[in-house]
Amino acid sequence: MRFPVFCTRLVDAGESAWRRLQARRAWPWVALLAFLWLAATTWMYPLLLPDEGRYVGVAWHMLVSGDYLTPRLDGMPFFHKPPLFYWLTAASLAVFGDNAWAGRLCSVLAATALVTATYVFLRRYASGRAAGRTALILAVQPFLFGAAHYANLDMLVAALMGLTVMAGADAVFRREQLRPDAGALTAMYVAAAAGFLAKGLIGVVLPGGALFFWLLGRRRYRALGRLLWWPGILLFLALTLPWMAIMETRHPGFFDYYIVYQHFQRFLESGFNNPHPFWFYVPVVLGLTLPWSIQLWRWSQPRGPLQTAFVPPAHRIEQVDRGVLRGLMLSWLVVVLVFFSIPTSKLVGYVIAVLPPLAWFIQETFEQREESTAPGAVRSLVRHALVAGGLCLLAVAAMVLFPQRSTKPLAQTLAASAAPGDRLAMLDQYAYDVPMYAGWRDPVIAVANWDDPDVMRGDDWRRELADAAGFTPDRGADRLWRPAQLQSYLCDQGHATTWLLAWLDEAGRYPALSGREPLARTSRMGLWRVPAAETVNGCGETPSSAPE
């Protein structure tokens, strides 16, 4: 069969499936199809470093330690982020085992929930066809697909912010239609509390800002007051304060570090990684939502979607004026985009929350075309979905064929060869995923120049471990070693068998590794074994000659 004929038949099959899905109009099918699509390939490549290894590693330590309250990095309190992602991922690891699929399941479920909630919300207040188009555009795009395949906080936070916005808008619409709104308000505050436990204050501030500016633009001042629902505020506090109170009791200084520093000072500081200009997110979002984002050019046309009138059918009281929905989506998109554009440090995943409103605006371009040329518009929608899906699968194939840096092979060697009582030291690095892959439950020695202010100025594993050690200085002294301290330990005839993980091109800086071949290696890293009581090079030298 010739390729063009195959593509035509594929489009025909997709068009038929699309129409059948529209006929069903059932959110469980949307949720099931979204989950299967997003989860099917997350097992195919190891956890990526550093982020996936860090966040899944912290969850793994929660699971093996049995302490589900305090997030820990190398056994020390890790308060850079709240605990919700760790709780959910620890539960996933407990059920499905220590593997990449289980580690990424939280992100997959968050993406599925966001797609499904968007479908339900728009089906209620727009139309079934608009809801279906938006859900399809949202689920089958490289940005959301990639976020669902990445085990960090961003997808979970974006989903909870979206749920908060839609629950708040649902409460407003119910109030305006003289229907009970307490259930929607309760859902909004529960989602906001979960967002706070996932990423802190932005889980509340951003969805609250989107609703505030939307209602302010509509001059719905009473609706603003209604959203400040005192039972919901009490519910929010009941869900969020206990964990923080326990942490402050266990670790004095937690509140100042977690709220004042992590939420406010970090937002304004410029010394962090990934500095980018203010406009950085615009090309990023447009590029990562291809081919769908190409359709946005239609908004510049004289008869574009903004000029399309919409009259709600008389038999559907839930549907609202299209301009009101556009205002909500615009406020949602702009608030998120502007907020994250202000700091100097920018990461791509921060703006995942703009994807639902962006998908809504893209679907309106297809909606306008469908009003004039229905068959052609549906076929165009299907073609876009097939191209977008192909891009997603190509990205997975690239990850499999061109694997990224991973310490999984070294960790597997460690798991197979290490004995109880052995020690593990990581030299000028901290491979977050090694403990999970190796099943290593003992403390890891992190070797670095901890006294060098230039080394400690960055925003990396050194700063994370140093901050964690500030809450438990005794554990910090036991785990954070300087190079001379490691050399002195290996020169002691009473040392235990020690495993050393180091960069291959930096191994020569350490006398103990001189002349030794690694037991296992990857393209950039090696794993060395120093047997108990074995003499290492450099022991006859003065301590000052050890690498600093």
Side-chain angles (χ1 to χ4, degrees):
M1 182 185 299
R2 290 181 301 175
F3 186 70
V5 176
F6 170 77
C7 291
T8 300
R9 292 187 179 180
L10 194 61
V11 170
D12 291 340
E15 182 180 357
S16 177
W18 165 254
R19 293 190 183 280
R20 285 197 299 271
L21 179 60
Q22 284 297 106
R24 293 181 183 274
R25 297 183 180 179
W27 68 264
W29 285 100
V30 173
L32 177 62
L33 292 173
F35 176 79
L36 293 176
W37 160 247
L38 296 170
T41 53
T42 56
W43 58 274
M44 298 182 71
Y45 49 92
L47 297 175
L48 303 179
L49 297 175
D51 284 357
E52 287 196 300
R54 177 195 301 113
Y55 294 119
V56 177
V58 171
W60 182 81
H61 278 291
M62 267 191 176
L63 179 64
V64 299
S65 69
D67 180 5
Y68 295 96
L69 286 177
T70 307
R72 296 184 184 276
L73 187 63
D74 200 10
M76 299 179 291
F78 181 61
F79 295 132
H80 276 227
K81 299 294 184 290
L84 182 60
F85 177 88
Y86 307 131
W87 291 339
L88 297 175
T89 303
S92 176
L93 296 174
V95 174
F96 299 107
D98 302 338
N99 55 77
W101 191 89
R104 295 178 175 125
L105 183 59
C106 178
S107 295
V108 170
L109 292 175
T112 301
L114 183 60
V115 171
T116 306
T118 302
Y119 174 82
V120 172
F121 177 77
L122 293 177
R123 181 185 165 194
R124 177 177 297 164
Y125 293 114
S127 69
R129 297 185 69 83
R133 277 189 296 265
T134 305
L136 178 66
I137 293 167
L138 184 58
V140 188
Q141 64 172 244
F143 202 168
L144 185 118
F145 184 85
H149 278 60
Y150 201 67
N152 73 350
L153 281 63
D154 294 335
M155 187 68 252
L156 177 62
V157 176
L160 292 171
M161 287 196 294
L163 293 175
T164 304
V165 171
M166 288 184 280
D170 183 34
V172 171
F173 291 145
R174 286 176 178 273
R175 188 75 170 179
E176 292 177 348
Q177 296 168 0
L178 304 179
R179 292 186 293 148
D181 63 350
L185 288 169
T186 300
M188 181 186 73
Y189 277 97
V190 170
F196 182 84
L197 290 173
K199 195 64 182 284
L201 288 175
I202 69 166
V204 181
V205 171
L206 293 190
L211 292 169
F212 172 80
F213 288 110
W214 172 56
L215 292 174
L216 188 67
R218 295 182 62 203
R219 296 183 176 85
R220 294 293 194 270
Y221 307 119
R222 290 187 178 181
L224 280 172
R226 177 62 178 171
L227 291 182
L228 297 175
W229 189 48
W230 70 264
I233 295 174
L234 293 179
L235 176 62
F236 175 88
L237 296 176
L239 292 173
T240 58
L241 285 183
W243 178 76
M244 291 194 297
I246 294 173
M247 291 301 98
E248 178 64 30
T249 301
R250 289 187 178 183
H251 307 284
F254 160 82
F255 186 85
D256 179 73
Y257 177 81
Y258 178 70
I259 297 295
V260 177
Y261 175 67
Q262 289 294 333
H263 285 78
F264 295 102
Q265 292 183 15
R266 277 178 63 99
F267 183 78
L268 298 174
E269 283 186 12
S270 59
F272 291 95
N273 299 331
N274 308 295
H276 294 288
F278 181 84
W279 47 263
F280 169 74
Y281 285 120
V282 174
V284 165
V285 171
L286 294 178
L288 292 179
T289 54
L290 288 170
W292 301 106
S293 57
I294 296 174
Q295 294 298 314
L296 292 173
W297 72 273
R298 296 181 180 276
W299 283 86
S300 64
Q301 303 304 302
R303 297 176 60 83
L306 280 174
Q307 286 73 41
T308 302
F310 177 78
V311 180
H315 65 283
R316 289 293 302 277
I317 189 172
E318 296 91 350
Q319 290 184 312
V320 299
D321 181 79
R322 184 56 57 92
V324 174
L325 278 177
R326 288 181 187 136
L328 172 66
M329 297 299 178
L330 183 62
S331 178
W332 181 351
L333 189 151
V334 170
V335 165
V336 173
L337 202 59
V338 171
F339 180 87
F340 285 116
S341 296
I342 294 173
T344 302
S345 178
K346 297 177 177 65
L347 293 175
V348 172
Y350 288 171
V351 292
I352 298 171
V354 306
L355 297 183
L358 185 67
W360 163 260
F361 288 120
I362 293 172
Q363 83 80 27
E364 282 205 314
T365 67
F366 287 98
E367 184 177 53
Q368 188 205 17
R369 294 174 63 190
E370 193 169 302
E371 292 175 359
S372 55
T373 58
V378 173
R379 293 178 67 83
S380 177
L381 181 73
V382 172
R383 283 194 296 269
H384 277 73
L386 292 175
V387 172
L391 291 175
C392 295
L393 296 180
L394 281 175
V396 173
M399 297 298 295
V400 175
L401 296 175
F402 307 100
Q404 304 298 300
R405 176 170 66 92
S406 173
T407 55
K408 184 177 180 180
L410 303 180
Q412 290 174 331
T413 299
L414 181 64
S417 306
D422 289 0
R423 304 200 72 174
L424 172 62
M426 298 185 186
L427 283 53
D428 284 318
Q429 64 170 305
Y430 190 84
Y432 299 96
D433 57 346
V434 163
M436 185 190 79
Y437 281 132
W440 191 276
R441 303 191 180 198
D442 296 327
V444 175
I445 300 168
V447 181
N449 295 319
W450 299 105
D451 296 327
D452 187 340
D454 292 331
V455 171
M456 298 303 298
R457 190 173 290 119
D459 183 29
D460 58 10
W461 59 273
R462 298 175 184 84
R463 187 165 186 169
E464 292 170 352
L465 287 171
D467 286 356
F471 288 96
T472 52
D474 54 337
R475 293 190 177 186
D478 182 55
R479 292 160 171 79
L480 307 187
W481 288 12
R482 294 159 186 81
Q485 189 175 355
L486 173 68
Q487 181 69 18
S488 176
Y489 170 77
L490 293 176
C491 289
D492 186 344
Q493 292 297 308
H495 74 78
T497 295
T498 306
W499 296 84
L500 304 175
L501 188 71
W503 300 107
L504 292 172
D505 59 356
E506 295 185 2
R509 296 178 55 243
Y510 290 87
L513 297 182
S514 177
R516 289 181 180 270
E517 286 296 317
L519 186 66
R521 69 170 66 204
T522 63
S523 60
R524 298 183 60 192
M525 282 186 257
L527 178 68
W528 287 260
R529 179 177 181 270
V530 180
E534 179 177 303
T535 301
V536 298
N537 291 331
C539 290
E541 302 175 8
T542 59
S544 60
S545 63
E548 288 289 351

